[in-house]
């Protein structure tokens, strides 16, 4: 079929409809390494501005850390640029094995398999270990990549209400005749920053003979006393069967993901998971840098401790200013605005104050739950955090929402 005027007009109309709903995602260009201070071109073509970044997944401040960059250089020099192969043909180097072993040890799991990304890990894991006599019982707010992976497998799919343990228990009873019951959750939910109650989930899994898979992409490296993740936080490090996680967030932020867990489950992923078999191997520079990251955070809790202090400082500041934040303890702090346009407008005004944050609204979060999601980093210094809080005070005042609760803001701006 020719790409004729008619079909072009149809696609243009679809894009225009996105714009008209106020849901259009604008381009923003970062013209510097990732960090607390970045150089940004926004809108496209505008002069570059130095601003503070409060929306990266750079939790541990390792994205441009000199030792990590140096390790990537060494990986490049010693093992080359690319593998030109998937893992199982000729894409596995000794350093891939080394990283897998280091991750197993760090997470306290039996075995680990690297994937090009956590999205790929999640795409491959379910199909590899489950069949049509099995059931997946997942929290209703799990990450999109888990939902996609679940769609690719033949097991039955059921859900429980977000963090509702009674509802999960009912579902475990309902599906008691299945061969395998696999409970699936995020460790840290990325939009609200809330922690899945893994202690209670493990109890239920034990009672009803179910397995537990946790995607800890927003937890690995900094949640828990030594940063092992959400399973450490809840004292269940030996009771989670599978963890999937990413190297693209706290652990250096380049790319890569993994499935870590019971030996046989990981082995089956090596035999069957399609992204492992059909997508290219993680580049040596990233592998070498990821090994360095694991070494850095195994040797010291300094970075996750600083992140924790930064989180407390920001949460206190923003609460004193009178903005409406979801309570919690993770470095994900949603400043709730409820109305999509308000979130968008305030994010733009924050940028004018030198703070880079982004408004989130439907379909990324439920309609009527628009927000600016702030993410803290160990790369932030006190003066960065104070400037961010001050900018929120100024912008919040302009919109007259300081001191207002949910109802107050909705009364003023609608949902
Ligand atoms: C970011 C994220 C992913 C995707 O990780 P990538 O390595 O970037 O593909 C998967 N799951 C969760 C919960 C995430 O937050």
């Amino acid at each position: 079929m020719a790409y004729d005027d008619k079909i072009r007009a149809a696609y243009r109309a679809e894009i225009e409809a996105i714009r008209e709903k106020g849901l259009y995602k604008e381009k923003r260009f970062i013209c510097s390494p990732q960090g607390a201070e970045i150089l940004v071109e926004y809108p496209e073509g505008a002069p570059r501005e130095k601003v503070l970044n409060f929306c990266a997944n750079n939790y541990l401040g390792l994205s441009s850390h000199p030792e990590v960059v140096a390790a990537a250089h060494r990986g490049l020099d010693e093992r080359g640029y690319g593998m030109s192969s998937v893992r199982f043909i000729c894409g596995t180097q000794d350093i891939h094995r080394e990283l897998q072993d280091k991750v197993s040890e760090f997470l306290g799991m039996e075995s680990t398999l690297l994937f090009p990304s956590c999205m790929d890990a999640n795409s491959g894991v379910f199909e590899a270990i489950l069949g049509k006599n099995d059931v997946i019982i997942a929290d209703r707010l799990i990450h999109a990549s888990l939902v996609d992976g679940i769609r690719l497998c033949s097991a039955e799919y059921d859900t429980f209400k977000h963090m509702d343990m009674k509802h999960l228990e009912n579902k475990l009873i309902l599906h008691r005749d299945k061969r395998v019951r696999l409970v699936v959750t995020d460790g840290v939910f990325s939009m609200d920053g809330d922690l899945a109650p893994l202690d209670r989930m493990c109890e239920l899994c034990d009672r009803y003979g179910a397995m537990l898979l946790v995607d800890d992409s927003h937890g690995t490296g900094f949640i828990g006393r030594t940063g092992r993740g959400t399973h450490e936080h809840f004292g269940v490090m030996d009771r989670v069967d599978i963890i999937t996680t990413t190297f693209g967030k706290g652990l250096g932020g380049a790319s890569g993901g993994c499935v870590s867990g019971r030996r046989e489950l990981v082995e089956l992923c090596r035999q069957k998971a399609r992204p492992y078999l059909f997508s290219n191997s993680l580049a040596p520079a990233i592998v070498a840098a990821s090994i360095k990251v694991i070494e850095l955070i195994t040797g010291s809790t300094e970075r996750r401790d600083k992140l924790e202090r930064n989180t407390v400082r920001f949460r206190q500041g923003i609460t004193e200013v009178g903005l409406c934040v979801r309570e919690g303890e993770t470095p994900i702090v949603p400043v709730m605005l409820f109305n999509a346009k308000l979130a968008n407008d305030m994010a733009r005004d924050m940028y004018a104050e030198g703070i880079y944050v982004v408004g989130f609204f439907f379909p990324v979060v439920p309609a009527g739950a628009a927000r600016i999601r702030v993410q803290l980093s160990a790369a932030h210094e006190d003066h960065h955090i104070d400037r961010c809080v001050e900018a929120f005070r100024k912008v919040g005042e302009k919109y007259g929402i300081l001191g207002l609760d949910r109802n107050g803001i909705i009364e003023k701006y609608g949902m």
Side-chain angles (χ1 to χ4, degrees), residues 337-341 366-370 406 409-415:
L337 301 162
F338 310 102
N339 175 288
K341 186 169 185 311
R406 179 174 187 276
I409 298 174
I410 291 173
E411 204 168 292
K412 203 168 170 124
Y413 288 96
M415 293 223 323

Side-chain angles (χ1 to χ4, degrees), residues 57 116-120 122 143 145-146 186 188 190 215-218 244-249 255-257:
N57 299 316
S117 69
C118 186
M119 175 118 192
D120 286 321
N122 289 340
H143 192 259
S145 61
L146 290 166
D186 290 16
V188 178
S190 57
D215 179 339
D216 218 10
S217 290
H218 282 278
T244 64
T245 193
T246 183
F247 300 99
K249 294 195 167 103
S255 64

Side-chain angles (χ1 to χ4, degrees), residues 66-252:
E67 284 189 57
V68 177
V69 174
H73 278 294
R74 278 198 304 280
L76 190 59
D77 290 341
E78 291 169 15
R79 293 291 188 284
Y81 169 66
M83 289 312 297
S84 305
S85 172
V86 302
R87 285 291 303 281
F88 97 94
I89 301 178
C90 55
T92 301
Q93 292 173 320
D94 54 346
I95 55 173
H96 291 81
R97 177 181 58 196
E98 185 185 346
L99 177 56
Q100 288 178 165
D101 291 345
K102 283 214 151 69
V103 170
S104 299
E105 197 184 329
F106 184 73
L107 296 179
M109 306 303 265
E110 292 174 9
S111 184
T112 297
L113 192 64
L114 299 180
F115 282 84
S117 69
C118 186
M119 175 118 192
D120 286 321
N122 289 340
S123 302
V125 64
F126 299 102
E127 194 197 13
I129 64 170
L130 299 176
K132 61 181 185 340
N133 298 321
D134 305 325
V135 65
I136 293 163
I137 308 173
D139 188 289
R140 286 195 182 154
L141 293 188
I142 53 169
H143 192 259
S145 61
L146 290 166
V147 175
D148 288 1
I150 290 168
R151 282 195 191 128
L152 294 172
C153 107
S154 57
E156 193 180 330
Y157 179 31
D158 204 346
T159 60
F160 60 97
K161 291 182 203 148
H162 183 51
M163 291 195 190
D164 183 333
M165 292 300 106
K166 189 69 208 152
H167 199 216
L168 170 59
E169 182 167 19
N170 292 342
K171 292 296 174 84
L172 284 165
I173 293 168
L174 178 71
H175 295 290
R176 64 180 166 263
D177 56 328
K178 292 292 196 302
R179 184 191 71 134
V180 171
R181 286 156 295 278
L182 178 65
V183 176
V184 176
T185 186
D186 290 16
V188 178
F189 286 87
S190 57
M191 286 304 145
D192 292 333
D194 43 355
L195 293 159
L198 294 189
D199 48 348
R200 289 156 68 205
M201 297 181 84
C202 283
E203 249 168 62
L204 285 175
C205 286
D206 284 352
R207 190 176 315 152
Y208 294 99
M211 301 201 300
L212 179 61
L213 180 150
V214 179
D215 179 339
D216 218 10
S217 290
H218 282 278
T220 303
F222 50 94
I223 301 293
R225 201 179 51 78
T226 65
R228 310 293 156 135
T230 312
H231 61 328
E232 181 185 33
H233 177 90
F234 285 104
V236 293
M237 275 193 74
D238 50 346
R239 294 168 72 190
V240 175
D241 300 289
I242 309 170
I243 289 176
T244 64
T245 193
T246 183
F247 300 99
K249 294 195 167 103
L251 305 183

